[in-house]
Amino acid sequence: MLCLKRASQLGIPKKVPIVARRWTSNIPSEIHLHGKTYKSDEWTNVPPQILALTDRSLHQNPNHPIGILRHLIEDNFKGLGYTFYNDFRPAVTTFQNFDVLDFPKDHPGRAKSDTYYLNKDNLLRTHTSAHEHECFQVCETPGYFITADVYRRDEIDKTHYPAFHQMEGARLWSQKTPDLEKVLQADIDAIPKTNIIVEDPFRENPSNEENPRQKHMTDPEARLIATHLKKTVEYMVNLVFESARAAALKAGAEDDFLKEPLRVRWVEAYFPWTSPSWEIEVWWKGEWLECCGCGIVQQQVLLNSGLGDDKIGWAFGVGLDRIAMLLFGIPDIRLFWTHNEKFTKQFTQGEITLFKPYSKYPGITRDVSFWVPAGVELHVNDVMEIFRSHAGDLVETVEQVDQFTHPKTGKTSHTYRIEFQSFDKNLTRDEVNDMQGAVLAELKEKYKNLFKAFKGRVTVRTGGSVKGNSLESGTYGLRLKSNGVRMAAIQLKEADKVIQRQLRGTGVKYITRFTCNIPVCVKGNQTRMGKGKGGFDHWAVRVPTGKILFEIVGKVHDKVAREALRKAGEKLPGIMEIVDTSSKIRVSPTSLVEKPEPVNWLEKIKQNPTKKWTNIEKSKLPDYRLYRNR
């Protein structure tokens, strides 16, 4: 059960859902998690939406893809000498997560930018290896499997999420065992056989200078333990991907790779707690997929766990989420955490069924750029966390598209592109703009007055001009309500098509009040000198606040006209509004003025004639006309 003290002091609007509440500047003095209390300090950086995920335990749900995958593996390893642990709590100490595994003090995984800390001494585990220490001490079988949810501050895209699931396996032997090599060979022979094609150049000689054998082991021991490890992992991989093949064929797939035998290959790797170490890759859908990292456990890790110096063995770790995405055909990792029954009711315990998409709602893209002062470090994961704290699972991807340091000022420029998309509803521009605004507000709070002012931005009218802000010929119009924006011709073309389609058969006409006169190149105006702008990309137009873009001319029903303009507005950036002949003129996003009375300029100039006007009038007199052609 999760409880946060001082929640009322966070200043969170009631209308903001829990997943989007902000908690980056207001840290509670205490965090209550699963019956324990943790005092906050300067290391505390875990937000409430992440703490809320610790109660989900998806791997223990038998009808969830993660739970189904866990049971698939565990059921086939029963009777082979393993104990299964699935109920470890996610809060662990830094000793459990790093120190007992011999993580260097300067390892990147210890950084606040990569790990969720409850305080300096406690954190949310970043891997299931945090429980190796305990399992090595209490496990009564030769080996064990751990399945649990783990947490990392990570990038945002369709395959990354701050909470995911790992399965870890390990097995130990004692060097004091009589005829150890025969025992190891018997254990290898007990592993079920597979028909997969294996590429392993290290099977007979598992160690070398770059991937060394530990000194306390003999060459035959290292070779046999490595063989036992690899055959165990190959058996597990075969279970998963043959199940994926069967599910795809059952669904009617006819891809060529489904008719080919499964292929895997072993490549060398590095992990702090194993040596030598390897990764297994699977040939699937025309590419090699990394599936599992493993190796022979470092002796120091076993000694740190209180075991004798005679213990030797192996360990592996595999991410269940990406494997489940392949197995069940799930396109986005966020779907695992949805409460929508359209997703949860598609899966049943013990059955592998392909996911049937139920959401076709379009996404919305936004960009944000800002400068960071010299000497200030800003990790990409810190920016990701700000977006995640305000938009939650509505953020599909966040991509850093540009970064450079100014050679004179030392400031660093960051540019990010954000994709918003919901599986359950169609996001409106207002919702996205609110989330984007909250992100910008927090960035401004941290890095004041450092947002870029790009060339080509729409100027603000300060002289009271109302040119183009009122209807001229039509009875209904579409007008920009928000701050001025630059619109691409393709966006305006789509809005034009919508109006044309909606008014088809009514006999009325519509007119456009803009001209796309700005050529836009492949690279933007923020491109540094000497880099080049690239080729022409598209046309655009600057639209100031209050500008009328479309007018409907002729007699048309009010609902028809408004519906056509409403749908057209959904295709355009910025906030649009529908106006009619009685609407006031907009001069700013928040100000409206009455439409001025029509001016008779002929009468006005007669009252106060200029010299030019006087000469024009004199030229019309008979005496002037008499001598004009002389």
Side-chain angles (χ1 to χ4, degrees), residues 174-411:
S174 173
Q175 289 178 309
K176 297 179 181 179
T177 302
D179 297 323
L180 176 60
E181 293 182 16
K182 292 183 179 180
V183 172
L184 286 169
Q185 186 60 54
D187 289 341
I188 292 172
D189 294 338
I191 300 172
K193 302 297 186 293
T194 65
N195 294 321
I196 60 178
I197 300 174
V198 181
E199 301 176 18
D200 185 6
F202 318 105
R203 187 62 57 101
E204 295 301 323
N205 298 294
S207 60
N208 52 53
E209 292 183 1
E210 296 182 355
N211 207 16
R213 169 182 59 82
Q214 298 176 58
K215 295 181 179 179
H216 70 289
M217 298 178 64
T218 65
D219 284 332
E221 288 173 347
R223 178 177 56 81
L224 290 170
I225 289 179
T227 301
H228 190 283
L229 163 63
K230 291 179 178 180
K231 284 190 172 294
T232 300
V233 174
E234 289 165 8
Y235 175 56
M236 180 182 65
V237 168
N238 183 70
L239 286 172
V240 172
F241 283 87
E242 287 300 332
S243 298
R245 185 201 306 272
L249 292 173
K250 183 179 178 180
E254 298 180 353
D255 301 275
D256 291 338
F257 74 92
L258 296 174
K259 304 173 185 178
E260 302 171 355
L262 191 63
R263 294 168 52 197
V264 301
R265 70 180 182 184
W266 288 95
V267 296
E268 292 185 323
Y270 166 76
F271 304 105
W273 53 89
T274 59
S275 180
S277 305
W278 306 275
E279 286 182 344
I280 188 172
E281 297 180 348
V282 181
W283 182 257
W284 190 255
K285 294 185 178 180
E287 61 179 340
W288 289 104
L289 303 177
E290 296 180 7
C291 288
C292 176
C294 58
I296 298 177
V297 181
Q298 291 275 14
Q299 185 182 38
Q300 189 59 49
V301 173
L302 300 175
L303 294 175
N304 292 344
S305 300
L307 302 180
D309 58 6
D310 62 307
K311 296 295 183 181
I312 55 177
W314 55 254
F316 74 81
V318 58
L320 295 182
D321 299 69
R322 294 189 188 180
I323 300 297
M325 291 173 71
L326 292 172
L327 185 60
F328 294 91
I330 296 172
D332 196 308
I333 195 171
R334 293 177 297 163
L335 283 166
F336 287 132
W337 299 90
T338 183
H339 292 279
N340 194 321
E341 291 185 351
K342 293 179 180 179
F343 177 84
T344 58
K345 287 189 174 181
Q346 290 193 35
F347 308 101
T348 306
Q349 181 178 1
E351 297 182 11
I352 308 297
T353 54
L354 293 183
F355 169 68
K356 297 179 181 178
Y358 60 87
S359 171
K360 296 182 180 179
Y361 299 112
I364 299 178
T365 304
R366 291 287 187 272
D367 287 353
V368 57
S369 296
F370 55 91
W371 292 94
V372 176
V376 176
E377 294 185 3
L378 178 64
H379 198 278
V380 174
N381 288 348
D382 295 329
V383 179
M384 301 287 180
E385 202 59 40
I386 293 176
F387 283 106
R388 191 178 281 121
S389 66
H390 291 288
D393 289 350
L394 298 180
V395 179
E396 181 181 49
T397 60
V398 177
E399 178 187 6
Q400 186 177 34
V401 295
D402 185 50
Q403 177 182 346
F404 79 98
T405 301
H406 196 284
K408 293 184 178 179
T409 65
K411 295 180 181 179

Side-chain angles (χ1 to χ4, degrees), residues 15 47 63 99 101 112 130 158 184 198 313 329 347 353 385 419 436 438 460 518 575 586 593 604 606 611 629:
K15 66 179 181 179
N63 296 314
D99 299 337
L101 298 172
K112 291 175 63 177
K158 292 184 177 182
L184 286 169
V198 181
F347 308 101
T353 54
E385 202 59 40
E419 294 279 351
Q436 178 84 342
V460 178
I518 303 174
I575 301 174
R586 181 168 295 280
V593 297
K604 189 172 182 179
K606 284 181 179 180
K611 183 176 181 180
N629 297 322

Side-chain angles (χ1 to χ4, degrees), residues 132-202:
E132 269 190 7
H133 171 75
E134 181 178 353
C135 290
F136 280 143
Q137 292 178 332
V138 303
C139 185
E140 297 180 355
T141 55
Y144 65 80
F145 278 70
I146 303 173
T147 306
D149 45 335
V150 297
Y151 301 84
R152 294 179 190 172
R153 302 183 76 193
D154 208 342
E155 58 188 295
I156 300 176
D157 59 34
K158 292 184 177 182
T159 59
H160 291 83
Y161 199 77
F164 55 102
H165 300 81
Q166 282 187 347
M167 174 177 283
E168 174 170 320
R171 189 168 181 128
L172 297 180
W173 292 266
S174 173
Q175 289 178 309
K176 297 179 181 179
T177 302
D179 297 323
L180 176 60
E181 293 182 16
K182 292 183 179 180
V183 172
L184 286 169
Q185 186 60 54
D187 289 341
I188 292 172
D189 294 338
I191 300 172
K193 302 297 186 293
T194 65
N195 294 321
I196 60 178
I197 300 174
V198 181
E199 301 176 18
D200 185 6
F202 318 105

